[in-house]
Amino acid sequence: MTDTKNDFTKGNIVGNILKLALPMTLAQLINVLYSIIDRIFIGRIPENATLALTGLGLCLPITSIVMAFANLFGMGGAPLCSIERGRGNDEEAEKIMGNSFVLMLFFGVVLTILGLIFKKPLLYMFGASDATYPYAAQFAEIYLLGTIFVMVGLGLNSFINSQGFGTIGMMTVLMGAIVNIILDPIFIFTLDMGVRGAALATVIAQFLSAVWTVRFLTGKKAILKLKFSCFRLKKHRVKSIVGLGMSGFTMNVTNSVVQVMYNASLQMYGGDLYVGVMTIINSVREVISMPVRGLTNSGQPVMGYNYGAEEYGRVKKAIIFTSVVPIIYTTAMWGVVHGFPEFFIRIFNQDPELIRAGVPAMRIYYFGFFFMSLQFAGQSIFVALGKARQAVFFSIFRKLIIVAPLIVFLPIIFSNGTSGVFMAEPVSNVIGGGACFITMLLTVWRELNRKMKEKEKLKEKEIAAG
């Protein structure tokens, strides 16, 4: 019999989402600060700050790949747990979590080994030059040693949030962030470790987050517990986890592919300076998109639980809320970034040349930013309701089918090649985000309406018979 704690079929649906959204959004924002704080401190190294910042930016595809595998098993298993909890099947939910944990451990080891072996060719493929490679290598080699901690801390936290413990999930990340903020200046400046110090601070912080998640999920407060008896892998569970997690996985992997293409193209048309501009643009985007990710991700366990409990009307209300609010927010943020781009650039670097190049680049890149929220909302809804194929397709569609070719062809069309590179993002947001959201309305929304009618008819028959 299922535990009735954190029953998302009770109370106001918006209240249920916000109960998770506030701590989850703060947690994700804090999580982004791991890398943002590194970049802020690195951008203030007395010598070669711009080269060091660019080198750090070249490691973004590596961190994205690690996060991709964490999401593959975390964001793949957590919605399935929510659906099984809604159905009252806690035993199967625990087995899903146990299988996900084993997969995180295994792939964490594999990624560490492969990353260390192929570090040099990968970084040059990602756009490194002889000047920036040493900085990128210093960060990558230490960060890769902590891969398993990133996998466990980030991946298992999804299972804490899916049970309704948003505050605990926030504490997972908050603890690591505080440690990271304290250690960064000590390692980077006091101990003169530079980029290596930033990587070491991040790894220690992620280690503590991983320990925290494991302790909570094996403790008394957790509804679903991490048990040795649930670690045995079963083909059908692994297939379901990977199938549903493929959306988050492909989103991160395609982000890595696109980032590599951005860096390579900007290196060709603008050199190291524009790769540094892209590092700052990515940093700003990570921060301002966090509330959208937090809200849409926190809606997933609520929608999944209600979908499993056949409360389709509540699912529709959740869809409306998690779609409208992000659109309003991203429209406002578009205006802020467009009006004050120099403010955001100066947070990371004071180089006049970089600022001069970065201001027009940011205005181009963030044009029509609100379309991005349609992509997040649509994909999040597909994942929450177990629609793996649709979620995966739209992850690939926007990045690989739209952005990747645009990065190649738009610089040829524009007289200023770098402007063409930055233009690829807003064009893909309009096409990809619009297509994803419209498809969701034409499929998921119609399905929910149909299921509501079927449920009403069945209820009428039971009343007539009884």
Side-chain angles (χ1 to χ4, degrees):
M1 185 175 179
T2 189
D3 196 317
T4 58
K5 288 188 291 184
N6 295 330
D7 184 343
F8 296 127
T9 61
K10 310 293 184 185
N12 182 273
I13 193 75
V14 172
N16 286 336
I17 294 173
L18 289 178
K19 181 182 175 183
L20 290 177
L22 295 176
M24 279 181 70
T25 300
L26 183 56
Q28 291 194 32
L29 186 60
I30 294 166
N31 194 38
V32 168
L33 289 178
Y34 277 101
S35 56
I36 300 300
I37 290 168
D38 289 339
R39 295 168 210 171
I40 291 173
F41 281 121
I42 291 298
R44 283 162 171 74
I45 290 178
E47 297 181 5
N48 298 322
T50 301
L51 288 178
L53 183 64
T54 301
L56 199 62
L58 292 166
C59 294
L60 289 179
I62 292 177
T63 60
S64 290
I65 289 170
V66 173
M67 291 177 66
F69 278 92
N71 285 334
L72 178 61
F73 309 122
M75 298 300 287
L80 293 174
C81 281
S82 295
I83 292 172
E84 292 302 327
R85 279 196 66 222
R87 291 171 177 165
N89 193 356
D90 281 6
E91 183 179 351
E92 176 60 22
E94 288 184 333
K95 289 178 179 178
I96 290 169
M97 181 168 66
N99 277 215
S100 297
F101 178 63
V102 172
L103 292 168
M104 290 173 204
L105 294 178
F106 175 77
F107 279 91
V109 173
V110 171
L111 287 174
T112 300
I113 295 171
L114 292 178
L116 291 173
I117 292 173
F118 297 107
K119 174 190 64 180
K120 188 170 183 177
L122 281 174
L123 289 173
Y124 272 101
M125 185 179 73
F126 293 165
S129 66
D130 291 340
T132 56
Y133 172 76
Y135 299 101
Q138 289 169 18
F139 185 88
E141 62 191 12
I142 294 177
Y143 180 85
L144 285 166
L145 291 173
T147 296
I148 197 165
F149 307 137
V150 179
M151 294 278 288
V152 172
L154 181 61
L156 280 186
N157 210 34
S158 298
F159 292 92
I160 294 176
N161 291 323
S162 72
Q163 297 177 50
F165 297 106
T167 303
I168 300 296
M170 179 187 69
M171 291 300 298
T172 303
V173 189
L174 181 61
M175 177 180 58
I178 292 172
V179 171
N180 197 48
I181 291 169
I182 294 172
L183 294 181
D184 252 341
I186 295 174
F187 289 165
I188 294 171
F189 301 113
T190 306
L191 299 180
D192 197 26
M193 294 178 68
V195 174
R196 285 193 181 93
L200 183 59
T202 299
V203 168
I204 293 173
Q206 294 286 11
F207 168 75
L208 293 174
S209 294
V211 171
W212 172 273
T213 56
V214 172
R215 286 196 63 182
F216 178 80
L217 289 171
T218 54
K220 295 180 180 180
K221 292 184 179 180
I223 299 171
L224 306 176
K225 301 187 188 303
L226 199 60
K227 302 174 181 175
F228 283 110
S229 59
C230 299
F231 287 177
R232 186 176 179 182
L233 298 177
K234 288 292 183 180
K235 184 177 179 180
H236 72 279
R237 287 195 197 99
V238 172
K239 186 177 179 181
S240 297
I241 292 166
V242 171
L244 193 55
M246 195 58 70
S247 171
F249 177 80
T250 52
M251 181 177 286
N252 282 110
V253 168
T254 52
N255 278 342
S256 297
V257 172
V258 167
Q259 191 57 53
V260 169
M261 293 185 68
Y262 269 127
N263 287 343
S265 189
L266 289 169
Q267 184 69 249
M268 179 189 303
Y269 291 102
D272 289 335
L273 176 68
Y274 277 88
V275 178
V277 169
M278 193 69 211
T279 300
I280 291 175
I281 286 176
N282 279 324
S283 303
V284 175
R285 187 196 64 204
E286 286 174 16
V287 173
I288 64 177
S289 66
M290 272 305 105
V292 178
R293 290 181 183 274
L295 185 63
T296 54
N297 287 345
S298 61
Q300 286 183 11
V302 176
M303 284 187 274
Y305 191 101
N306 280 279
Y307 188 73
E310 299 184 357
E311 294 289 342
Y312 305 119
R314 291 174 65 82
V315 176
K316 287 176 65 176
K317 290 179 181 178
I319 289 174
I320 293 171
F321 180 70
T322 55
S323 300
V324 173
V325 173
I327 291 172
I328 295 171
Y329 166 77
T330 48
T331 301
M333 289 310 301
W334 173 24
V336 172
V337 173
H338 183 82
F340 309 98
E342 186 173 335
F343 166 78
F344 291 99
I345 297 170
R346 287 186 178 277
I347 292 173
F348 299 91
N349 197 280
Q350 304 290 326
D351 184 346
E353 191 177 357
L354 187 142
I355 294 170
R356 193 161 45 248
V359 167
M362 287 191 71
R363 284 179 171 152
I364 293 171
Y365 187 90
Y366 287 102
F367 185 82
F369 188 58
F370 66 91
F371 279 98
M372 180 212 67
S373 64
L374 299 181
Q375 178 84 19
F376 282 144
Q379 276 194 222
S380 179
I381 292 161
F382 284 133
V383 171
L385 305 187
K387 313 291 184 182
R389 287 189 303 172
Q390 294 92 326
V392 171
F393 172 78
F394 284 107
S395 291
I396 296 172
F397 178 68
R398 190 176 81 85
K399 289 294 185 180
L400 295 188
I401 298 178
I402 303 175
V403 178
L406 290 176
I407 292 174
V408 175
F409 293 114
L410 285 181
I412 299 173
I413 297 171
F414 281 76
S415 58
N416 183 337
T418 55
S419 295
V421 176
F422 292 118
M423 182 63 73
E425 188 70 12
V427 173
S428 73
N429 281 338
V430 172
I431 300 173
C436 179
F437 195 76
I438 290 170
T439 302
M440 183 278 296
L441 292 176
L442 293 176
T443 55
V444 171
W445 195 264
R446 286 182 176 179
E447 178 194 347
L448 293 172
N449 285 334
R450 177 176 56 79
K451 286 182 176 290
M452 286 178 68
K453 289 178 181 178
E454 290 174 355
K455 189 177 178 181
E456 288 173 3
K457 288 181 180 178
L458 182 61
K459 189 174 181 180
E460 289 173 359
K461 287 181 180 179
E462 289 175 351
I463 292 173

